[in-house]
Structures are given as structure tokens and as C-alpha cells.
Amino acid sequence: MKLDLKEAESLLGISAMTIQRWARQGRIPAREADGALVFRQKELERWAWNRQWPLRRDPGMPCLEGSLETECLSDALRRGGVFFNVRGNTVKEVLNEMSGLVPLSADVDREGLVGLLEERERLASTGIGRGVAVPHPREPLTSIGDRAIVTAAFLERPVDFGAMDHVPVFLVLLMLSPATRTHLRLLSRLSFCLRDASLTEGLPNYREEEAFLKDIARAEQGL
């Protein structure tokens, strides 16, 4: 689907002036037609995926998620599980540990998954700040079926993920999605939940899976 500048602005939540500048600099995928910038929705979604940029949807735009509109972060976490005192002194060790925790079918290559996660970390840190990281492959993982999986790991000790705020990570949310739209929706929901001060301030204190899942579900209800 092709988008004009105004629709791209609504989708990304970035000012039209900034989008125009980034397009001229080659920092965002765009084409020019009849003197105006034109964008492809899938390319912008992929651009947002690689930068962990949450999408916004203007009420007048077509729904991006379609049947995935009901996908919730709390549901994906229930599928993936919540674990405590997960070991690891480095990012690589943590990713290795988590690859063994995430519930996957026997035909999924777990070693290959670790490689994909490490490749994504080399592109840019998935540490989003405030002690939270969201590792994920660069591309959708169709082998997991049609529903996303998010596995939460509260680490035994904080690990430096190279986050922009320089805060060591104590909570890792491994996010595996079958489609770009699903990933961006879940990332947007996570971003919203982390604005809830009562949730973020209490993150280091969780010791029970059900309490964490209950509070995530409560935070999501504010959407």
C-alpha cells in the first residue's frame, strides 16, 4: 500500500518536516513521484521494526493489524512464560539461556535463533532503557506459528546491553513474532505499559509470574 507524506506522518508519529529531511538523507525509505514523496507501508513497517519504533495509527487510515488487532502483550507473555534469577554475565550468555527457556516446537533451530538474536544486537542494542531489553530477530519468525511469543527473564544480576541510558538490564523480554505488524503492535503496547509509573517502579521487585502478568494486563487496559 502506498502512503503520502501525511499518512507516513500519522503512521510513524514523526513530523512531516523530519520525514522529508530523513528521506533526502536516505535515512528512511521513500520515492518521489510527480514532485511528491511516496512511501510503501511495508517498507516503513520494516524500517520501524529494525529501529524498535512503535507505530501509531490515525483513525482515518486502514487498520494495520487486521485480524491481529486482538494480539495483546499479556497473552504473548503467558505463551512465553516468565522466569526469575536467569543467569548470564554477558549479552551472549543471557541470549543463550533464554533460547532454552522460550517454548518452541522441536523443529525450531534454537542455535540458529541465538545467531539471529546476536545479529540483531550487532545492528543496534535492543536495550530500550530503564533496565529493560527486548531482543528479537531482524525478520519475522514464521516457524513459531501464527501467534507471537514473549518470554520474560528477570536476570540474576544486571547485564550491560549498551542501552542509550547506560542503565544495566535486569529484565529481558525476548520477542518472537510471526509478522512485522504483530511485532510492532506488541512493541507499541510495551512502550505504553512502561509509561505506567506503578509498573516500572516495581519492576525490580517482582518474584511471581502471576503478579507480573496481572500488572501487565492492567497496564494494557489503559490503551
Side-chain angles (χ1 to χ4, degrees):
M1 176 180 175
K2 292 183 179 180
L3 306 178
D4 59 23
L5 181 59
K6 182 178 180 180
E7 290 169 328
E9 180 182 37
S10 296
L11 177 64
L12 298 175
I14 301 172
S15 71
M17 184 178 297
T18 298
I19 293 175
Q20 287 177 314
R21 183 174 71 254
W22 285 0
R24 289 195 300 270
Q25 296 170 344
R27 295 174 58 188
I28 195 168
R31 296 169 177 78
E32 190 167 333
D34 299 324
L37 288 175
V38 177
F39 307 84
R40 292 189 181 278
Q41 182 172 312
K42 288 186 177 180
E43 291 179 349
L44 291 184
E45 288 174 350
R46 187 177 300 278
W47 180 91
W49 170 294
N50 286 331
R51 289 158 182 79
Q52 300 186 73
W53 190 278
L55 294 182
R56 296 168 57 187
R57 182 168 64 85
D58 185 272
M61 290 184 63
C63 177
L64 297 177
E65 281 84 16
S67 62
L68 298 173
E69 187 69 28
T70 59
E71 184 71 273
C72 293
L73 177 61
S74 54
D75 290 340
L77 278 165
R78 286 192 179 278
R79 287 191 288 272
V82 181
F83 301 87
F84 298 88
N85 298 317
V86 175
R87 296 181 178 180
N89 295 315
T90 65
V91 173
K92 183 174 183 178
E93 289 178 359
V94 170
L95 295 179
N96 270 300
E97 284 289 320
M98 295 202 68
S99 71
L101 297 175
V102 61
L104 298 171
S105 60
D107 59 338
V108 176
D109 180 6
R110 291 180 186 267
E111 289 187 7
L113 172 60
V114 173
L116 293 174
L117 297 174
E118 290 179 335
E119 179 186 12
R120 175 61 184 83
E121 291 296 332
R122 287 192 293 270
L123 177 67
S125 170
T126 59
I128 61 175
R130 290 174 286 188
V132 180
V134 190
H136 58 274
R138 291 183 61 185
E139 303 288 342
L141 201 65
T142 56
S143 59
I144 65 173
D146 59 356
R147 306 297 286 182
I149 298 172
V150 179
T151 296
F154 287 86
L155 303 183
E156 186 177 59
R157 59 180 62 86
V159 171
D160 183 7
F161 265 70
M164 290 187 66
D165 64 356
H166 306 296
V167 175
V169 166
F170 65 86
L171 172 59
V172 180
L173 301 169
L174 174 57
M175 190 174 290
L176 304 178
S177 303
T180 301
R181 297 174 186 177
T182 312
H183 174 80
L184 295 174
R185 174 178 173 78
L186 291 176
L187 189 62
S188 180
R189 283 180 165 262
L190 173 61
S191 177
F192 180 86
C193 289
L194 292 179
R195 298 175 198 164
D196 186 325
S198 64
L199 175 67
T200 55
E201 291 173 3
L203 280 179
N205 304 318
Y206 284 101
R207 297 294 182 269
E208 296 181 0
E209 177 178 23
E210 194 57 38
F212 177 64
L213 293 174
K214 181 179 179 180
D215 285 348
I216 289 289
R218 175 190 55 77
E220 278 192 290
Q221 289 177 0
L223 280 164

